[in-house]
Amino acid sequence: MRQKGCQGMTNRDGNIRTDFKDEMTYSEYLHLDKLLDAQQGLSGHHDETLFIIIHQVSELWMKLILHELRAAVRHIDQDDLQPAFKQLARVSKIQEQIIKAWDVLATMTPAEYMGFRDALGNASGFQSYQYRLIEFALGYKTAHVLKIYEKDEDLHSGLVAAYNAPGLYDTAIRKLSRSGFAINSSVLNRRTDDSYGPDDSVKSAWKTVYRNTETYWELYQLAEKLVDIEDWMQQWRFRHMKTVERIIGFKTGTGGSSGVGYLKKVLDQSFFPELWAIRTEL
């Protein structure tokens, strides 16, 4: 009966390809053999597979975030904002997906996690280099984290280059300047190997944009896209923190960080401070 049903489908859809001896398949295109073989746990515990997949999926999403952020920076630098808006909006949607991934990981109980935690050694999500690249791209930079990646020279050199490069907000501020706003030279010429700090000239420029949205519609859109990204980033961090607290409480992280204490501290970091400050003053 099952074969008959399949034959009926083939008859109705006669153009379906079934001979792939000389053609590329879906699995080959996606390299599924490598992708689906990459969940090699160390403990034999049932729930280690969940832990690995959630983190691998998050890393794939982060790869796409970086892909979109880099493209958006290029477009903003070229004064071509419309494609940048699409890319930044996509980043926000990706962030939403990563947040939902924490909901799945939160189904793991403390007892289940302790069944394989020792197998992780000192490996920790704190060491995610793509997460660091996202922080660097958004303008938050701390030199001490670079030491974590010295084991891999190519990776370390790539991170150092990203650390020293202008971030998304630097690019947006330069766009403000090119649009006729008086931005302090200390901001335009600042060393980009340090975290961005608030500046009155930048706040004044954004305030003017928000008070004259019809005149500066594209800059207004850019500002709101940036606010979206920081909003989702903070929700991502909060969901991460609460998931960790739910599973391990206030234990020290496997990588040596203070765990929940550290994650709570980073919630106070702001990437685009003037865009939040002006809301009180408008």
Side-chain angles (χ1 to χ4, degrees):
M1 290 296 292
R2 186 176 180 180
Q3 289 180 342
K4 183 177 179 180
C6 291
Q7 182 64 38
M9 180 185 69
T10 302
N11 289 339
R12 289 193 302 272
D13 300 294
N15 293 326
I16 291 178
R17 295 294 301 271
T18 58
D19 182 2
F20 286 92
K21 291 179 181 178
D22 300 312
E23 299 287 343
M24 179 178 66
T25 66
Y26 169 83
S27 295
E28 289 168 338
Y29 174 68
L30 295 177
H31 298 284
L32 288 183
D33 55 339
K34 297 177 182 178
L35 186 64
L36 299 180
D37 194 43
Q39 295 75 45
Q40 301 296 324
L42 299 175
S43 68
H45 193 282
H46 174 81
D47 291 291
E48 190 176 2
T49 299
L50 164 64
F51 188 82
I52 292 172
I53 287 176
I54 290 297
H55 286 85
Q56 287 180 340
V57 166
S58 295
E59 291 291 336
L60 285 171
W61 280 129
M62 283 190 275
K63 181 175 182 177
L64 186 54
I65 285 175
L66 289 165
H67 178 69
E68 300 297 339
L69 286 177
R70 289 162 181 157
V73 165
R74 288 195 302 271
H75 283 293
I76 296 168
D77 269 336
Q78 296 164 5
D79 294 323
D80 188 13
L81 295 189
Q82 292 302 318
F85 295 157
K86 176 64 179 290
Q87 289 145 359
L88 295 176
R90 183 174 290 162
V91 168
S92 293
K93 288 297 184 181
I94 298 166
Q95 291 172 298
E96 185 178 1
Q97 293 302 311
I98 296 180
I99 292 169
K100 290 184 180 300
W102 290 119
D103 294 340
V104 181
L105 188 60
T107 65
M108 181 182 294
T109 67
E112 289 164 346
Y113 181 55
M114 293 310 296
F116 65 87
R117 189 186 191 219
D118 288 346
L120 303 180
N122 291 317
S124 166
F126 181 82
Q127 299 149 15
S128 168
Y129 67 86
Q130 290 198 121
Y131 182 79
R132 296 302 170 197
L133 287 171
I134 291 171
E135 284 192 327
F136 295 170
L138 297 182
Y140 179 72
K141 300 178 180 182
T142 49
H144 70 274
V145 301
L146 292 171
K147 187 171 180 60
I148 296 170
Y149 311 101
E150 290 178 349
K151 178 179 180 179
D152 186 325
E153 291 184 8
D154 290 339
L155 174 60
H156 183 258
S157 63
L159 281 156
V160 170
Y163 183 88
N164 290 314
L168 175 64
Y169 200 41
D170 294 304
T171 305
I173 292 171
R174 288 200 299 259
K175 174 58 180 171
L176 283 173
S177 177
R178 291 196 302 275
S179 299
F181 290 96
I183 304 298
N184 288 333
S185 60
S186 59
V187 176
L188 296 174
N189 300 314
R190 78 180 192 90
R191 291 183 52 165
T192 54
D193 59 349
D194 196 6
S195 294
Y196 177 81
D199 178 84
D200 286 341
S201 67
V202 175
K203 184 169 74 169
S204 177
W206 285 127
K207 195 184 300 184
T208 299
V209 168
Y210 273 77
R211 284 176 171 165
N212 302 274
T213 57
E214 292 185 4
T215 303
Y216 301 108
W217 182 253
E218 281 199 329
L219 290 173
Y220 174 60
Q221 285 182 287
L222 175 59
E224 284 298 288
K225 291 291 186 290
L226 296 178
V227 170
D228 286 343
I229 286 174
E230 178 159 350
D231 192 345
W232 282 114
M233 189 72 176
Q234 296 295 58
Q235 291 185 58
W236 176 5
R237 286 170 158 179
F238 178 81
R239 196 69 190 94
H240 183 188
M241 181 269 293
K242 293 306 291 185
T243 301
V244 171
E245 184 178 1
R246 175 172 177 156
I247 296 175
I248 69 168
F250 286 81
K251 292 185 180 73
T252 300
T254 51
S257 75
S258 58
V260 170
Y262 169 80
L263 295 173
K264 285 186 175 181
K265 182 179 178 181
V266 299
L267 285 170
D268 293 330
Q269 297 165 2
S270 179
F271 298 108
F272 318 128
E274 295 89 355
L275 291 174
W276 295 95
I278 62 171
R279 280 157 160 74
T280 305
E281 302 178 18
L282 289 172

